[in-house]
Amino acid sequence: MKNLLYLCAIVLFTACGSDDPVAVDPIVETTNGITTLDATGTVSEQTAVEAKKIIYGKWNFSNTSRGVANTCTFSYLEFNDEDYIMGFVVDGNSQTIYGSYVLNEDSGTVSSVDLNFYAGTSNLTIATLTDVVVTETNDNFSAVFNVEWSIPENAGFDSCNNLAGEYTAAKEEPMDESTTADADSNHVKLIKTWSLVSVFEEGEDRTDEWYNDPCIIEYDDDTEEQIENCTPATSMTLTFSTYGSYTFVWTGSSSGTKVETEPWSWNDTNQTGFNIGSENQLVRIVSLTDTEAVFSSEGTEVTFSAN
């Protein structure tokens, strides 16, 4: 059982690509290299570049069952530079969706935001956000927006289609290091998407086993089973969020795309190690540059390259 960097397995879907109608410029950053975290405004009055700053962050929701008899509850929505993470509770079970988002422009300003979902054979738009307004009061940020859903029946959470309507969401506080770290800090270097290069456990190459992870069924009694005729993933990425989320994505497997997301935090002020998951598993930084990261934990060493 591979235990470096992730603890709880959740089988999900991700947008593997996007037919974006708009070419969105890179998100604007502060002087230390972290994305602007305090932007406000009405999205429909902004260009794609400015709108991307406004929606960036983790937005938390409550009381969102919307008459679905608590079948589906909307938990949070986090926008990163190029993708989103969305959390639901469906029939008492937590689900997370990870995909790309599109800023649709009309006459030079953003008219709506589409959330994409990879349904195994094609990339679909499962939700569209309109009338997005972000405000700040006494250093507290909140967003108001309307959402229309179009979740496919085979997604496993199509009951959430009933969650259409207007929402108000509070913005979560970013990690302290996101506002205080300097441009050359490990925190700033870490906040990006990384691609897996290699995995070694006790000196033995285990990279192929990590790519094979989507082909493994894990049971509650800690036993595992290989899915028959399953082909491994062809790529694996790891994204660190400035709001304390990290997300693994396996793509290219015949069993579909697998995603795992957990919280992370720094273990020390020198930023030489970080904790992950509910059990605060410690991961040490062996080396970290703008282009390469090497982590170690419990005899396992993993190397990533920057996307």
Side-chain angles (χ1 to χ4, degrees):
M1 179 73 182
K2 297 174 287 297
N3 58 5
L4 176 65
L5 300 179
Y6 62 93
L7 300 173
C8 300
I10 309 171
V11 177
L12 310 162
F13 299 89
T14 182
C16 295
S18 174
D19 299 325
D20 297 0
V22 177
V24 180
D25 292 334
I27 201 163
V28 177
E29 299 175 339
T30 61
T31 55
N32 69 353
I34 295 292
T35 299
T36 300
L37 305 176
D38 56 359
T40 61
T42 300
V43 166
S44 62
E45 299 174 355
Q46 314 299 323
T47 65
V49 173
E50 293 301 317
K52 202 171 186 183
K53 290 190 294 180
I54 290 172
I55 65 174
Y56 185 91
K58 187 171 184 178
W59 306 92
N60 292 320
F61 300 79
S62 61
N63 301 320
T64 56
S65 58
R66 296 295 169 93
V68 196
N70 295 322
T71 297
C72 180
T73 303
F74 191 14
S75 302
Y76 68 88
L77 173 61
E78 181 171 2
F79 287 102
N80 294 316
D81 283 359
E82 304 295 337
D83 49 53
Y84 72 90
I85 307 169
M86 181 185 293
F88 296 94
V89 177
V90 182
D91 295 326
N93 298 312
S94 296
Q95 287 205 35
T96 308
I97 304 168
Y98 175 95
S100 64
Y101 63 90
V102 177
L103 301 173
N104 299 304
E105 284 188 318
D106 183 9
S107 301
T109 58
V110 174
S111 57
S112 62
V113 182
D114 288 342
L115 305 184
N116 290 333
F117 173 87
Y118 188 69
T121 58
S122 59
N123 202 26
L124 306 176
T125 296
I126 63 163
T128 298
L129 280 57
T130 58
D131 304 320
V132 184
V133 180
V134 175
T135 58
E136 179 268 330
T137 304
N138 298 326
D139 294 328
N140 295 313
F141 294 82
S142 63
V144 177
F145 61 89
N146 281 290
V147 59
E148 290 291 333
W149 300 90
S150 52
I151 303 169
E153 291 184 1
N154 62 353
F157 57 97
D158 55 295
S159 62
C160 298
N161 277 320
N162 292 317
L163 294 179
E166 183 178 280
Y167 286 83
T168 299
K171 190 174 188 179
E172 189 167 302
E173 289 292 326
M175 300 173 69
D176 290 341
E177 295 83 359
S178 298
T179 57
T180 61
D182 61 54
D184 196 43
S185 66
N186 278 351
H187 183 77
V188 172
K189 292 176 182 177
L190 200 63
I191 302 297
K192 60 169 63 79
T193 295
W194 303 87
S195 295
L196 180 67
V197 175
S198 64
V199 181
F200 283 86
E201 295 182 8
E202 304 295 345
E204 187 171 350
D205 191 344
R206 301 289 188 182
T207 310
D208 288 344
E209 292 182 17
W210 275 47
Y211 281 123
N212 189 57
D213 209 73
C215 295
I216 300 295
I217 301 175
E218 301 177 7
Y219 297 102
D220 292 340
D221 61 358
D222 293 331
T223 59
E224 299 178 350
E225 180 183 352
Q226 174 78 23
I227 299 174
E228 187 175 358
N229 299 322
C230 179
T231 57
T234 56
S235 67
M236 177 182 174
T237 60
L238 170 61
T239 300
F240 286 88
S241 157
T242 190
Y243 287 83
S245 303
Y246 77 93
T247 305
F248 273 116
V249 179
W250 287 260
T251 58
S253 170
S254 60
S255 70
T257 298
K258 180 176 181 177
V259 177
E260 296 178 356
T261 184
E262 287 283 354
W264 75 281
S265 60
W266 288 108
N267 176 259
D268 56 67
T269 56
N270 293 325
Q271 300 177 2
T272 59
F274 52 89
N275 296 319
I276 57 172
S278 59
E279 297 182 10
N280 288 323
Q281 180 183 345
L282 176 60
V283 179
R284 295 291 185 187
I285 295 177
V286 178
S287 63
L288 179 62
T289 67
D290 291 331
T291 58
E292 183 183 77
V294 182
F295 307 130
S296 69
S297 180
E298 301 178 6
T300 299
E301 185 169 288
V302 186
T303 301
F304 292 89
S305 63
N307 276 5

